[in-house]
Amino acid sequence: MPARTLYLCVVDPGVGGERSALAIEADGDWYVGPDNGLLALVTRHAGKARVLRVDWRPEVLSSSFHGRDLFAPVAAMLCNGKVPRCTEIAKATLIGNDWPSQLAKVVYVDRYGNLITGMQASDLAKDSRARVGGREIAYAHTFCSVPPGQAFWYENAFGLVELAINQGNAHHTLGLGLGDRVELSRYSS
Amino acid sequence: MPARTLYLCVVDPGVGGERSALAIEADGDWYVGPDNGLLALVTRHAGKARVLRVDWRPEVLSSSFHGRDLFAPVAAMLCNGKVPRCTEIAKATLIGNDWPSQLAKVVYVDRYGNLITGMQASDLAKDSRARVGGREIAYAHTFCSVPPGQAFWYENAFGLVELAINQGNAHHTLGLGLGDRVELSRYSS
Amino acid sequence: MPARTLYLCVVDPGVGGERSALAIEADGDWYVGPDNGLLALVTRHAGKARVLRVDWRPEVLSSSFHGRDLFAPVAAMLCNGKVPRCTEIAKATLIGNDWPSQLAKVVYVDRYGNLITGMQASDLAKDSRARVGGREIAYAHTFCSVPPGQAFWYENAFGLVELAINQGNAHHTLGLGLGDRVELSRYSS
């Protein structure tokens, strides 16, 4: 993304409840979204971050669609150079501030059944193997590096460890889904 | 939506058949779509509405994609300030003119399994209960007002009664789907 | 689409492998995508086509998201009137150059379960019947030309033969899916 981008991010199971709304200025970009852990890594990775709790509220606020009613107007204000009524708060008070930077679990299953983990691939040796159920899964550079139907792990386009099957569905074939643990280690058992 | 918006709406199981095409000017907005009930409520709720049957046809008209071939060009003409060849017709002749404004049924199941009904929530007391199968379901303000897994009804972001389960799938869990009846009443049985 | 359009097309199971990247100028339009058959028909149908193999590579290239890293920047360069580093190659060397123009198979199942084939409908008489399993399926002009639940074939909005069921799911009901053969002939058996 170009410099000076505003990211409006809404994954918000607590919508309508007590969680705060945030506007974070980090290294020249803005991030707008709920205070539920979604944006905590942004402040951790940023060289310079200013965390604002958004106190502004619209006249009409539905109980379940703050993306439309609250966050989008805040994003529009910021894009127009106006900062809505806010209170600056400390990074350390953010939900998720104490969460790990890496998570050895499946954090997302895409619509092809690829299993995206919360582990950065750059930290791992290429001869590491993923242990899943009783199986060990080796690294490959990309999908077409292995025969159709074969499982592999690779560094995906976000830099994360992903388990996939060339022209197949890793979610169904490996029986692995959201939140399931994935261990990678260098030496096979 | 801002004033003077054009809404291009195509839900059109009768595409390619005898149903008319409509362009409706209602309180300064335009609505373009098929005459199959989709736009009847617009004329009912509008202070001032002018209903036009679109007689214009493109040179090439597929039998199944009037959104592309007919309605989109009509919308583009109207956005450019040109009204295509039309005949003004009476509101009362619209398909759906005699349909009810409220419908005590599931009218949409979203991709999370939330069950959206055709009932306006503002008409109901908050101590009303939804009767579904043998169960009674109470009101809650929003998802996180109830424990994970609990069913509730609430006023959704469109102002309609919606049945949902916090972090769950109401469609699967309640066994309720499109067209199923949902009764709400104030006193439990 | 208007004249002088750029089409960025990425269906790319070989991403990260040996397949080339293409930029094709055909009758004033540009087509950007992988050399895997996706764009071969473009050169066959064009009056005048120039086929370029894209030799330019970005500084950072992921192994699985060339749509983002390679093809989109190439498209942006072309839109800005700059041709990236390329080598002109012969049409005949394209993958898919020897593939048939028509394919009597299901090539796509849409989300309604409609079965789109690779056959052009204009080549067929309207009294042709599709043979699927033991059944014969007759032509209809469009969905609402037949009763709900009835299967038919018709010329879809792309000009292709499509098998569908009015208000139903042909994929499930006919038990037919991607790659399955569909034969059409004029005389019933």
Side-chain angles (χ1 to χ4, degrees):
Chain A
M1 300 294 290
R4 293 177 51 75
T5 293
L6 182 142
Y7 300 86
L8 173 53
C9 311
V10 185
V11 181
D12 197 9
V15 61
E18 295 299 309
R19 62 100 189 85
S20 298
L22 297 175
I24 298 174
E25 193 176 12
D27 296 338
D29 296 321
W30 279 101
Y31 297 80
V32 173
D35 181 13
N36 62 7
L38 187 62
L39 301 176
L41 275 181
V42 167
T43 62
R44 190 180 306 166
H45 291 164
K48 197 178 164 187
R50 188 163 63 111
V51 181
L52 305 175
R53 190 190 65 217
V54 179
D55 301 318
W56 177 85
R57 288 294 177 278
E59 279 177 42
V60 179
L61 180 65
S62 69
S63 61
S64 61
F65 199 175
H66 288 197
R68 178 190 71 186
D69 299 336
L70 173 57
F71 295 115
V74 165
M77 286 180 220
L78 291 168
C79 286
N80 284 320
K82 287 190 289 191
V83 177
R85 193 158 54 78
C86 285
T87 303
E88 187 160 352
I89 59 175
K91 274 189 198 193
T93 65
L94 288 182
I95 306 287
N97 182 60
D98 57 343
W99 293 0
S101 286
Q102 307 257 0
L103 191 65
K105 291 184 175 179
V106 174
V107 297
Y108 189 68
V109 181
D110 73 16
R111 67 192 181 100
Y112 303 105
N114 300 318
L115 302 160
I116 300 173
T117 75
M119 282 178 288
Q120 230 123 21
S122 55
D123 299 343
L124 289 164
K126 294 285 186 285
D127 60 353
S128 300
R129 285 160 177 275
R131 234 169 276 165
V132 168
R135 297 174 66 162
E136 290 199 340
I137 294 171
Y139 169 86
H141 177 63
T142 187
F143 288 77
C144 62
S145 311
V146 301
Q150 186 173 315
F152 63 101
W153 76 265
Y154 82 116
E155 175 173 348
N156 75 9
F158 307 110
L160 297 171
V161 169
E162 182 175 314
L163 300 177
I165 291 179
N166 185 21
Q167 296 173 46
N169 186 305
H171 175 53
H172 291 150
T173 304
L174 302 180
L176 213 66
L178 200 63
D180 286 339
R181 180 160 287 280
V182 175
E183 282 179 68
L184 275 102
S185 59
R186 209 153 172 183
Y187 305 103
S188 75
S189 57
Chain B
M1 301 294 291
R4 293 176 53 74
T5 292
L6 182 142
Y7 300 87
L8 172 53
C9 311
V10 185
V11 180
D12 197 10
V15 61
E18 296 299 309
R19 64 100 189 84
S20 298
L22 298 175
I24 297 174
E25 192 175 12
D27 296 338
D29 295 322
W30 279 101
Y31 297 81
V32 173
D35 181 14
N36 61 8
L38 187 62
L39 300 177
L41 275 182
V42 167
T43 62
R44 190 179 306 165
H45 291 165
K48 199 179 164 186
R50 188 163 63 110
V51 181
L52 304 175
R53 189 190 65 217
V54 178
D55 301 318
W56 177 85
R57 287 294 178 277
E59 280 178 40
V60 179
L61 180 64
S62 69
S63 60
S64 62
F65 200 174
H66 289 197
R68 177 191 71 186
D69 299 337
L70 174 57
F71 295 115
V74 165
M77 286 180 220
L78 292 168
C79 286
N80 283 319
K82 286 190 290 192
V83 176
R85 192 157 55 78
C86 285
T87 304
E88 188 160 352
I89 60 174
K91 274 189 198 192
T93 64
L94 288 182
I95 306 286
N97 182 60
D98 56 344
W99 293 0
S101 286
Q102 307 257 0
L103 192 64
K105 291 184 174 180
V106 175
V107 298
Y108 189 68
V109 181
D110 74 15
R111 67 191 181 100
Y112 303 105
N114 300 317
L115 303 161
I116 300 173
T117 74
M119 281 176 289
Q120 230 123 20
S122 55
D123 299 344
L124 289 164
K126 294 285 187 284
D127 60 352
S128 301
R129 286 160 177 275
R131 233 169 276 166
V132 167
R135 298 174 66 161
E136 291 200 338
I137 294 171
Y139 169 86
H141 178 62
T142 188
F143 287 78
C144 62
S145 311
V146 300
Q150 185 172 316
F152 63 102
W153 75 265
Y154 82 116
E155 176 172 349
N156 75 9
F158 307 111
L160 297 170
V161 169
E162 182 174 315
L163 299 176
I165 291 180
N166 185 21
Q167 296 172 45
N169 186 305
H171 175 52
H172 292 150
T173 303
L174 302 179
L176 214 66
L178 201 63
D180 286 340
R181 180 161 287 280
V182 175
E183 281 177 68
L184 275 103
S185 60
R186 211 154 169 183
Y187 305 103
S188 75
S189 58
Chain C
M1 300 295 289
R4 294 176 51 73
T5 293
L6 183 143
Y7 300 87
L8 173 53
C9 312
V10 185
V11 181
D12 198 10
V15 62
E18 296 299 308
R19 64 99 189 85
S20 297
L22 298 175
I24 297 174
E25 192 176 14
D27 297 337
D29 295 321
W30 279 102
Y31 297 80
V32 173
D35 182 14
N36 61 9
L38 187 63
L39 301 176
L41 275 182
V42 167
T43 62
R44 189 180 305 165
H45 292 165
K48 197 179 165 187
R50 188 163 64 111
V51 180
L52 304 175
R53 190 191 65 218
V54 178
D55 300 319
W56 176 85
R57 287 295 178 276
E59 279 176 41
V60 179
L61 180 65
S62 69
S63 61
S64 62
F65 200 175
H66 289 196
R68 178 190 69 185
D69 299 336
L70 173 57
F71 295 116
V74 165
M77 285 180 221
L78 291 168
C79 286
N80 284 319
K82 285 189 290 190
V83 176
R85 192 157 55 78
C86 285
T87 304
E88 187 161 353
I89 61 174
K91 273 189 200 193
T93 65
L94 287 182
I95 305 288
N97 181 61
D98 56 345
W99 292 1
S101 285
Q102 307 257 0
L103 192 64
K105 292 184 174 178
V106 175
V107 297
Y108 189 68
V109 181
D110 73 16
R111 67 191 180 101
Y112 304 105
N114 300 318
L115 302 161
I116 301 174
T117 75
M119 282 177 290
Q120 230 123 21
S122 56
D123 299 344
L124 289 165
K126 294 286 186 285
D127 60 352
S128 300
R129 286 160 175 274
R131 234 168 275 167
V132 167
R135 297 174 66 162
E136 290 200 338
I137 293 171
Y139 169 85
H141 178 62
T142 187
F143 287 78
C144 62
S145 311
V146 300
Q150 186 172 315
F152 62 102
W153 74 266
Y154 82 116
E155 175 173 349
N156 75 9
F158 306 111
L160 297 171
V161 170
E162 183 174 314
L163 299 177
I165 291 179
N166 185 21
Q167 294 172 46
N169 186 305
H171 174 53
H172 291 150
T173 304
L174 301 180
L176 214 66
L178 200 64
D180 286 339
R181 179 161 289 278
V182 175
E183 282 178 69
L184 275 102
S185 59
R186 210 154 169 183
Y187 305 103
S188 75
S189 58

